[in-house]
């Protein structure tokens, strides 16, 4: 991604009952005040900077178990 741009990371998680979806960053926190997660579980990072580079993890959890997927961001 280009520094200063907005990045979207998708996370498709479905089930019955619907799983609880959470995003986190390995070895760090999501950028404070510069991120949001919409109803479709897409993580948006605004005005990305080199410090935002790293691996982001989407975790879906329900009574049936847990699944996770990762995305690597280079700025």
């Amino acid at each position: 991604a280009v520094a200063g741009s907005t990045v979207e990371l998708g996370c498709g998680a479905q089930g019955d009952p619907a799983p609880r979806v959470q995003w986190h960053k390995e070895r760090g926190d999501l950028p404070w005040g510069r991120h949001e997660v919409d109803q479709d579980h897409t993580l948006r990072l605004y005005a990305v900077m080199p410090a935002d580079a790293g691996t982001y993890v989407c975790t879906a959890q329900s009574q049936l178990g847990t699944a996770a997927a990762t995305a690597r961001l280079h700025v």
Side-chain angles (χ1 to χ4, degrees):
V2 177
S5 67
T6 297
V7 173
E8 292 187 354
L9 302 175
C11 181
Q14 298 176 335
D16 187 14
R20 186 171 59 97
V21 176
Q22 291 185 303
W23 279 97
H24 72 274
K25 183 180 179 189
E26 284 186 352
R27 294 186 286 281
D29 296 321
L30 293 175
W32 191 84
R34 294 186 296 110
H35 79 276
E36 70 176 5
V37 179
D38 68 16
Q39 287 180 311
D40 294 327
H41 313 300
T42 298
L43 172 65
R44 277 189 195 82
L45 305 172
Y46 298 102
V48 294
M49 53 186 65
D52 297 329
T55 301
Y56 290 80
V57 182
C58 170
T59 304
Q61 186 173 14
S62 76
Q63 298 162 332
L64 302 177
T66 301
T70 60
R72 183 114 179 109
L73 176 64
H74 300 274
V75 181

